[in-house]
Amino acid sequence: MYRRNDDPAAGDGPPPSRFKTSGLRSRHLAAHALVAAWAVLALLAASAQQTLPVARWLAIHLFLLGAATTAIVVWSEHFAVAMLHASRPDRRWSNARLAGVNVAVAAVLTGVWADLPVLIGAGCALLVTATAAHLVVLVRLGRGALGGRLAPIADYYRAAAAALIIGGVLGWLLATGRAGPQWYAGLRLAHLHVTLLGWIGLPVLGTLFMLWPTVLGVRMKDRTTRVARWVLRLACSGLLVAVAALVAGWRWPAAAGLAVYAEGAAVAVNLFVRTVRGSRPVSAAAAWMLATATCWLLVAVTADLALLVTRPLTTAQTGIDALIPVLLIGFVAQILIGALTYLLPIVLASGPKERAALRAVLEQGWLPRLVVLNLGVALLAIPLPGPADTAGTLLAAAAGIAFLALTAAALVRSGRGLLRDTGRSGGARSPVLWGSAAGAVLIVLAVLVANSGGNTSGQADAAGTAGAGTGTTRTVAVTLADMRIRPARIEVAAGTDLRLKVTNTDSMRHDLKVEDGPTTPMLAKGHTHVLDVGQVTEDREAWCTLPGHRAAGMAMDIVVTGATDGASAHDGHSTTAATDGALDLSADFSSGWQPRTADLTPAPGGTVHKVELHAAHTQVEVAPGVKQQMWTFGGTAPGPTLHGKVGDVFEVTLVNDDTSMGHGIDFHAGSLAPDGPMRTIQPGKRLVYRFRAEKAGAWLYHCSTAPMLQHMGNGMYGAVVIDPPGLAEVDHEYVLVSSELYLGTPGSTAQVTKMSQNTPDAWVFNGVANQYAKRPLEVKAGERARFWVVAAGPSDGIAFHIVGTVFDTVYKEGAYLLKPDQAGGSQVLDLATAQGGFVETTFPEAGHYAFVDHDMRHAQAGAHGTVEVSD
């Protein structure tokens, strides 16, 4: 067992003499210059919260991902070498990994600040790669090493590195919005737990098994190794269960996992308490800070567990957010301060005299600083009025700044000694200068962050010319909730003075920033702020600035009506979400909107039906608040439904009113040579398509001009219903044409790519997403209804289902599969692309019966509606 050979008061632990090379000292000096610089950045970002809403996120990540991560990477390798009695890795390789981590962190934070998803992705990838390399080094250190009583501590560092890899992936999903709004809350909670309790908590617990008795100057308990292994099993298994459950949105398994983690932490603390003796510690300052930090960890984990047990995840996250300052300052910052107070003199000093001098510098005023820091944490932790929260922040910041100043003084003092000792060789000068230069650059960046709030309050710049709305003021109520902004689209006359009354009803904090305009402060649940946008003369976007929220769909369009080139500004369509197609289906349709009737018009009399269809470009509201240019037959997408009986003749005149391209038509219900009637006709031309409906069924018609994928994907399709002979009468008869919706300029590269890859923005019934959820079909209890369904595609079929009913009649592709007099029933009408049929059911009682495409991707993305049944 090691004893510190140059400190008689010390207990078990690795001898500092093992780390006395000038190269190692210079590396630690450079690394801790980075730690100090990240911490300074965090303080500056925190001070900018009033002018830059994203600054709170930046402050937390500057400290945890910057300062704490740099310290853990350096010290975990340092201690692993000592605990395992292993050979030290090549210094160049260690420096490269440390540089990779810091470059990755800078890339992630810059990408979030500048809203550059590509940079965020690259930074996350580099962070995961550098951390994986760090994990590999920690694993390889154990191979062939002598090991020893403290060897199990290295497993804590390995587990922590794995936790950061998971946290990095989750962070990338959150920051880029890749997982979608429905997963955001669970992913965020999982990310918080795996990083704070895994990447930060595990190495702290592991190191304390060695560091705590060393700081106290006593020998470790004989059972320390056994307890350390048991605590690691509890903490890792519990954390893994908790994180997986949070991702899945399972509250009780998450609480159970966290309870196991808490048990592991409590077992470790019990051992630490029993280690305390009456003798004077080597560093009273370090001992008290480590002790109070560990207490705050237990307090935070216990409160976290109570929140998960007593509240649903959607509301628990508000309380868990309130615990972040406790963990950030009370636990992480205080652990760093306590550990560095003890370790920096050992690593940086060249002998006992210099170590004592450096320790004296770092311990100046430690008791007042300890009291001020923990009083500040207590004020932040206890739900008191606003001034108490502000006071707590100021107290904690004052204590942190005081330690940073002392650390800087110690680094400067040690740096002078290092340069003096190695000046002839010059070996240490480069790392010292590199660390100082990096710190200077990061501080400059901090100043930029702190002062980049821009025009965030008051009046936005009123550029442009006067419009129809000049002199008028309009106030619009805006709600932030469920990772959405409602309304998702606001239309104003040019020149209108616009004010937004923004209210956050979500359990999470949000803000709203207007493009080239003002920003609200960060709003807690129930808080409201009036945002004076100023005179609006051109289209703008507004969004929540929190990382990942805009990408997940928290965006709103402010559209100027009467603009001369609105189509070009919005890529041919006006949409409620980002261009990734994340539509807000819960939003409201535009004023005056009417759903397309689903009622099947009775077949006209006679046996010859003449119809004229005009092919043209038509602006259609295809989803709530989303207007899209469609290619249509008869001005609608889908086109008009044709209805007849077996033997009827349809004479369809197609007129091409499109001025830019040719169109044709193909009726599946007719049997004839396609050469003439299905030919493409040029703009201004017409043709007559005559066919006899020889067979019953639900048939598709569509544009016959290549590329048909684009013509059908942009709305050129419809249904023909030919009744089977002897078809019974029913109380209601509906026709539903299922299809995919592709937003974007028709024929554009972006839209065609989505069609080719079969990644639509929505799936719809009768051309409009969610329309029958907003305006349900209405029947009475006991009435019988028939639903004709045609799968228009162009690529996907449908599994049509009505929740709460059983179909007693199924007719598919011209044949009955089930009739009412049979004993069986059916739950789904399954149709491949271009197939059709009908189902019948009787609604037994009053209620709301949802009808859906039972491919749940389609149902959640627009292919659903409601049958409202009344008594």
Side-chain angles (χ1 to χ4, degrees), residues 589-638:
F589 282 92
S590 300
S591 176
W593 170 84
Q594 292 295 325
R596 177 187 171 116
T597 180
D599 295 315
L600 178 63
T601 304
T607 58
V608 178
H609 311 301
K610 295 186 177 182
V611 180
E612 187 169 284
L613 294 178
H614 291 255
H617 292 185
T618 307
Q619 192 83 357
V620 179
E621 188 163 3
V622 294
V626 180
K627 294 182 179 180
Q628 164 89 5
Q629 185 187 87
M630 303 294 289
W631 300 347
T632 64
F633 287 128
T636 61

Side-chain angles (χ1 to χ4, degrees), residues 40-42 44-45 441-451:
V40 169
L41 275 168
L44 290 173
V441 170
L442 290 171
I443 290 172
V444 171
L445 288 176
V447 175
L448 293 176
V449 170
N451 292 282

Side-chain angles (χ1 to χ4, degrees), residues 737-749:
V737 181
S738 71
S739 63
E740 299 132 45
L741 174 64
Y742 296 93
L743 298 180
T745 301
S748 67
T749 300

Side-chain angles (χ1 to χ4, degrees), residues 34-44 62-63 66-67 404:
L34 276 174
V35 172
W38 284 120
V40 169
L41 275 168
L43 289 171
L44 290 173
L62 281 164
F63 186 74
L404 283 175

